[in-house]
Amino acid sequence: MSNTKEFQQHLVEQFHHYSTQELVVLNNDLVQSNWGSSKTAFRSALLTTLSKRGIDLSAIIHSLDGFTQIQRVAVRLEANKLVPLDA
């Protein structure tokens, strides 16, 4: 488990250097691919980086009764908010 956490932290540090648009494109590529077990850590780091930039993720992340659901959808950046492409 600690290896996954270390990997995620490494990715967050690397994603800091990406542009916001590059992160959006990376998300879209990721949700449309068939990655292995590293996919969750990779996407978590990507979304953490976007959140730290003040990007509103509320259109793809929902909490209900203590459970958080993160939609696996392609997105676009619209007025500093990630919006699912099908919306």
Side-chain angles (χ1 to χ4, degrees), residues 47 57 60-71:
L47 293 176
L57 307 175
I60 64 167
I61 299 178
H62 307 282
S63 293
L64 181 63
D65 294 332
F67 294 98
T68 300
Q69 178 186 18
I70 302 173
Q71 292 179 312

Side-chain angles (χ1 to χ4, degrees), residues 23-65:
L23 293 171
V24 170
V25 169
L26 190 57
N27 174 79
N28 294 347
D29 289 347
L30 183 61
V31 299
Q32 295 169 355
S33 72
N34 292 318
W35 281 35
S37 61
S38 297
K39 184 177 187 174
T40 301
F42 195 86
R43 184 148 190 252
S44 180
L46 188 144
L47 293 176
T48 297
T49 303
L50 287 166
S51 178
K52 285 182 177 182
R53 291 188 182 182
I55 305 296
D56 182 354
L57 307 175
S58 64
I60 64 167
I61 299 178
H62 307 282
S63 293
L64 181 63
D65 294 332

